[in-house]
Amino acid sequence: MDQLYGGNKEEHPEPIKAEVQGQLPTWLQGILLRNGPGMHTVGDSKYNHWFDGLALLHSFTFKNGEVYYRSKYLRSDTYNCNIEANRIVVSEFGTMAYPDPCKNIFAKAFSYLSHTIPEFTDNCLINLMKAGDDFYATSETNFIRKINPQTLETLEKVDYNKYVAVNVATSHPHYDSAGNVLNIGTSIIDKGKTKYVLFKIPSSVPEQEKKKSCFKHLEVVCSIPSRSLLHPSYYHSFGITENYIIFVEQPFRLDIVKMATAYIRGVSWASCLAFNKDDKTWFHFIDRKTKKEVSTKFYTDALVFFHHINAYEEDGHIIFDIIAYTDNSLYDMFYLKNLSKDFEENKLTAIPTCKRFVVPLQYDKDAEVGSNLVTLPCTAAAVKEKDGNIYCQPEILCEGIELPRINYDYNGKKYKYVYATKTEWSPVPTKITKLNTQTKEVLHWGQDHCWPSEPVFVPSPDAKEEDDGVVLTCVVKTDPKEGPFLLVLDAKTFTELGRATVDVEMHLDLHGMFIPEQDLKTETE
């Protein structure tokens, strides 16, 4: 597992022509842009956790049947500071760094009496986001970095905190039909309250303000108070339907007091996260028109989850699908000391499970206590309790999948297909999977010594059905004699259409997006 994770990868900022086998669709024109950690040692210092590594962007550009690869480290302030000092001097979530000679760049990194929350890193290694006509590398702090998707050059740093009072924000925003970005962040002890803040970044700014960024027009949609002032829930994504925002408050929480003293105690911020298996997981539904929360309290058993898949409304119910665990062992698996163990030793104690919750927003108020309020044909239940709360039990759609993607044209709508990585007991994906959520039928693609990344669905221009299009995934090989490749699958049949092989050492990445040619600015714009 060592050769797949840890270590440092070389960057390739100039385009490298890939060797194409098979037949790529002629309509596939644009850039598959992906992000993930690529450097885990700086000088003699090492990061503790795989998710702490310095961000390495990489891309496959499709142009008239040819494919070009390039990769470049995000030139964040964090990267520049670390490289200049030749050691890790900026703390990441799982690695606390001391002392910080870069204080001038990060202003006062820490005065623990006045600031509970230290200045965070801008090592944006998790995902990519489109806001307006621009693209940004993102992580879960308040910083994002604008990038040029064609050259992978790092541009300005944006601090969400200048526009909205959040200390952290997700790396999985949603886009509405007008192209506006919706995201959610946590505001820690703002005026004595800890809350989750839902905000919107407009896709365009008024004509007379063309020079201004869309962030200046950011608006707060609503906020949800945290159930605990000092223990806000950790979350990695949220859900959206036509009329509602779905926020799941899980009992996997950050201890703010511990976090404030982590630096002095010499421990990482990750050690301030704790899962309470005896607690409940609460569901919040916000009406997108009124911006008010649904007053009925819905909950389920304790769980840990990172990824929402999709959500939609049907006959007065909200249906939402997530990939959930019964504990928080997933994060611990990715400590580099654990990744250096054998596959057999480093096993998940909880298998990722695709769960469908069916929540009856409109139900018979006179229903008896103990009765199931779900009226749709499914095995999920929502049981009315004495105190008026409603206990939700999910339907299991499948097990052993992660990094789910859908045809985003069906986001918030009734849908059929999920594309994901197959993980089972090890955190390393071995196959790509297509799940039919209605029939539970599963298709796979896999080959020996191949480790695929998150699959990205790209619809064909004349698509009539949900799975008309291709699925793209970057595949790393453990056989050093064979190069990594970009795989193109027919999304309908899940058979290989072609692949583009490159002679580089490619890193395992996290998330990414396909940018169609028409969404890329020409150099003159």
Side-chain angles (χ1 to χ4, degrees):
M1 247 200 271
D2 236 5
Q3 71 196 76
L4 286 174
Y5 289 99
N8 295 346
K9 298 289 185 270
E10 199 184 326
E11 62 177 8
H12 301 279
E14 294 306 316
I16 295 170
K17 191 173 179 184
E19 186 192 329
V20 177
Q21 291 166 287
Q23 210 55 53
L24 306 185
T26 50
W27 56 261
L28 190 61
Q29 306 275 338
I31 298 175
L32 176 70
L33 179 59
R34 301 194 52 81
N35 198 354
M39 189 185 296
H40 288 91
T41 59
V42 184
D44 295 331
S45 55
K46 279 189 170 66
Y47 285 112
N48 297 331
H49 200 280
W50 188 64
F51 297 157
D52 291 343
L54 292 170
L56 180 56
L57 299 163
H58 64 159
S59 66
F60 284 91
T61 302
F62 299 85
K63 204 165 177 72
N64 306 329
E66 294 182 338
V67 180
Y68 295 90
Y69 176 81
R70 53 166 41 138
S71 64
K72 198 171 164 78
Y73 279 100
L74 184 76
R75 295 306 197 265
S76 58
D77 293 355
T78 297
Y79 174 94
N80 293 334
C81 260
N82 287 345
I83 297 299
E84 194 184 337
N86 195 32
R87 63 191 181 91
I88 297 165
V89 291
V90 181
S91 298
E92 298 292 334
F93 196 64
T95 308
M96 193 61 88
Y98 304 88
D100 196 338
C102 255
K103 285 258 200 312
N104 55 343
I105 289 194
F106 284 99
K108 245 325 186 257
F110 213 156
S111 71
Y112 63 87
L113 294 172
S114 59
H115 294 120
T116 320
I117 300 302
E119 268 279 324
F120 278 134
T121 173
D122 67 337
N123 175 30
C124 302
L125 78 147
I126 299 180
N127 206 350
L128 296 140
M129 169 177 101
K130 182 175 195 253
D133 294 328
D134 298 317
F135 293 89
Y136 296 85
T138 66
S139 68
E140 297 190 312
T141 72
N142 51 307
F143 294 118
I144 58 177
R145 284 305 296 230
K146 188 169 161 181
I147 57 157
N148 177 327
Q150 280 139 316
T151 62
L152 306 186
E153 188 189 352
T154 304
L155 305 166
E156 61 263 32
K157 173 160 108 169
V158 174
D159 179 357
Y160 277 140
N161 213 297
K162 286 203 169 90
Y163 309 101
V164 57
V166 295
N167 307 91
V168 292
T170 89
S171 224
H172 288 284
H174 280 284
Y175 305 92
D176 66 16
S177 52
N180 302 306
V181 178
L182 287 162
N183 204 357
I184 193 161
T186 304
S187 176
I188 297 175
I189 327 202
D190 176 41
K191 304 185 182 61
K193 293 183 174 65
T194 299
K195 52 185 188 268
Y196 312 108
V197 180
L198 186 75
F199 59 91
K200 178 167 131 183
I201 305 162
S203 59
S204 57
V205 296
E207 201 50 55
Q208 65 274 24
E209 298 188 30
K210 271 290 174 247
K211 291 276 177 281
K212 282 192 180 170
S213 89
C214 51
F215 296 97
K216 289 212 163 58
H217 292 270
L218 182 150
E219 59 178 277
V220 170
V221 177
C222 71
S223 60
I224 302 163
S226 167
R227 290 186 70 85
S228 159
L229 177 67
L230 296 173
H231 300 88
S233 180
Y234 169 80
Y235 51 94
H236 185 80
S237 61
F238 63 103
I240 187 169
T241 68
E242 196 185 335
N243 297 297
Y244 295 93
I245 303 286
I246 301 160
F247 175 67
V248 176
E249 195 172 10
Q250 59 187 346
F252 185 33
R253 300 196 189 91
L254 213 42
D255 184 319
I256 293 175
V257 176
K258 279 188 176 170
M259 206 166 166
T261 58
Y263 188 84
I264 309 155
R265 292 183 297 124
V267 299
S268 73
W269 293 316
S271 69
C272 309
L273 262 180
F275 173 60
N276 183 348
K277 66 180 188 338
D278 303 317
D279 220 332
K280 296 179 169 79
T281 299
W282 295 91
F283 301 157
H284 301 271
F285 303 101
I286 290 93
D287 186 312
R288 291 174 66 179
K289 289 189 191 70
T290 65
K291 303 177 182 177
K292 297 271 187 291
E293 190 177 339
V294 171
S295 57
T296 310
K297 296 278 178 270
F298 298 94
Y299 75 94
T300 189
D301 300 319
L303 55 78
V304 170
F305 86 106
F306 299 90
H307 296 115
H308 274 267
I309 303 172
N310 199 5
Y312 61 93
E313 296 160 43
E314 189 175 353
D315 293 340
H317 298 72
I318 286 181
I319 292 127
F320 71 94
D321 301 339
I322 63 173
I323 292 176
Y325 298 80
T326 50
D327 66 25
N328 61 328
S329 64
L330 181 77
Y331 185 83
D332 294 341
M333 305 271 314
F334 283 94
Y335 277 104
L336 290 167
K337 65 175 192 290
N338 292 337
L339 288 171
S340 64
K341 294 176 187 164
D342 234 15
F343 281 130
E344 290 309 304
E345 277 181 80
N346 193 23
K347 279 191 168 171
L348 284 164
T349 50
I351 201 160
T353 306
C354 179
K355 295 185 172 183
R356 166 163 289 184
F357 288 95
V358 179
V359 179
L361 286 192
Q362 294 157 13
Y363 62 91
D364 176 5
K365 300 291 182 270
D366 301 325
E368 283 179 36
V369 169
S371 61
N372 177 15
L373 306 173
V374 175
T375 55
L376 295 174
C378 65
T379 58
V383 177
K384 184 176 174 181
E385 298 192 323
K386 264 209 293 284
D387 54 10
N389 290 351
I390 294 172
Y391 170 54
C392 301
Q393 292 154 303
E395 175 175 344
I396 306 297
L397 297 182
C398 93
E399 290 191 326
I401 64 167
E402 246 304 352
L403 302 173
R405 294 292 288 255
I406 58 167
N407 176 343
Y408 202 77
D409 293 340
Y410 288 75
N411 189 47
K413 302 177 181 137
K414 190 166 182 175
Y415 78 116
K416 255 193 204 164
Y417 302 112
V418 182
Y419 307 97
T421 54
K422 183 99 185 112
T423 47
E424 294 175 336
W425 290 105
S426 145
V428 190
T430 50
K431 289 186 174 131
I432 294 292
T433 297
K434 176 189 183 183
L435 164 71
N436 181 326
T437 59
Q438 290 170 11
T439 64
K440 299 186 183 167
E441 181 192 1
V442 173
L443 297 175
H444 294 297
W445 177 91
Q447 282 178 1
D448 289 347
H449 314 297
C450 285
W451 312 94
S453 67
E454 168 199 58
V456 174
F457 175 86
V458 184
S460 58
D462 52 357
K464 306 253 184 313
E465 294 182 330
E466 186 185 335
D467 57 355
D468 286 341
V470 295
V471 168
L472 307 177
T473 177
C474 300
V475 182
V476 173
K477 305 269 303 210
T478 34
D479 182 342
K481 292 193 288 294
E482 294 179 37
F485 59 94
L486 175 88
L487 177 70
V488 183
L489 296 176
D490 177 330
K492 206 177 257 317
T493 61
F494 235 51
T495 51
E496 179 173 340
L497 293 174
R499 59 176 67 183
T501 307
V502 280
D503 186 17
V504 298
E505 201 189 351
M506 199 159 74
H507 63 310
L508 283 173
D509 57 23
L510 287 165
H511 295 295
M513 63 178 6
F514 182 77
I515 309 169
E517 195 179 37
Q518 64 270 22
D519 289 0
L520 292 161
K521 290 185 200 171
T522 53
E523 293 307 321
T524 52
E525 279 178 53

